[in-house]
Amino acid sequence: MELKINIYNELDEVVKEHKRNGYSIKMRTVKNVIETLDTKKIGIALNEEGSNAEAISVVGEFVINAYDTAKELLMDIFTEMTEEEYENTRVDEVVKVIVNIVKYSFNVIALAGGKGKN
């Protein structure tokens, strides 16, 4: 899974790009996310019955309502990103990265619980 976030200047031009090939979410971060994210809604949104739009909506609320936790997560994923660079990212890209991490984490949890697809 490739994760990518762009850094923009005041003219909305990409001035830098951070990439990472994979990320394993840490339990500290899971705790912070669970405390602020409606896990029931995200679970429904990520299963076969839900849509990607629902997941984006739930994570969008998380990014807006838990700014510091979202920032901490993104800066943990992209370790070379500065706080100033984070402030020059786009909300939709931040949401996309977090949706991908949440989906991946739910899949890992499902596999560990024996509910993964063979």
Side-chain angles (χ1 to χ4, degrees):
M1 157 184 59
E2 180 180 80
L3 302 169
K4 178 180 101 167
I5 193 108
N6 293 312
I7 312 302
Y8 296 87
N9 66 14
E10 58 280 341
L11 300 174
D12 206 30
E13 301 166 328
V14 175
V15 294
K16 191 173 186 179
E17 178 181 85
H18 290 282
K19 285 185 179 180
R20 181 146 181 196
N21 290 321
Y23 173 77
S24 295
I25 194 165
K26 295 171 185 67
M27 290 306 295
R28 176 193 80 237
T29 307
V30 169
K31 177 183 173 274
N32 291 340
V33 170
I34 287 171
E35 288 175 349
T36 53
L37 185 65
D38 187 336
T39 53
K40 190 171 189 171
K41 279 186 185 176
I42 195 71
I44 292 167
L46 293 176
N47 73 18
E48 290 85 19
E49 299 168 17
S51 70
N52 206 42
E54 290 173 281
I56 289 169
S57 174
V58 173
V59 173
E61 287 178 31
F62 162 73
V63 169
I64 291 167
N65 296 328
Y67 181 87
D68 289 334
T69 302
K71 180 175 86 172
E72 178 185 336
L73 177 57
L74 264 283
M75 292 187 70
D76 191 49
I77 294 167
F78 303 107
T79 56
E80 295 183 11
M81 184 168 58
T82 66
E83 286 189 42
E84 182 180 348
E85 288 176 337
Y86 179 78
E87 292 174 2
N88 288 304
T89 60
R90 289 186 178 163
V91 172
D92 61 317
E93 291 182 16
V94 171
V95 169
K96 184 178 176 182
V97 168
I98 294 175
V99 165
N100 288 332
I101 289 297
V102 170
K103 282 182 175 181
Y104 175 78
S105 298
F106 270 70
N107 288 334
V108 168
I109 291 167
L111 287 173
K115 295 180 183 175
K117 296 178 182 176
N118 291 335

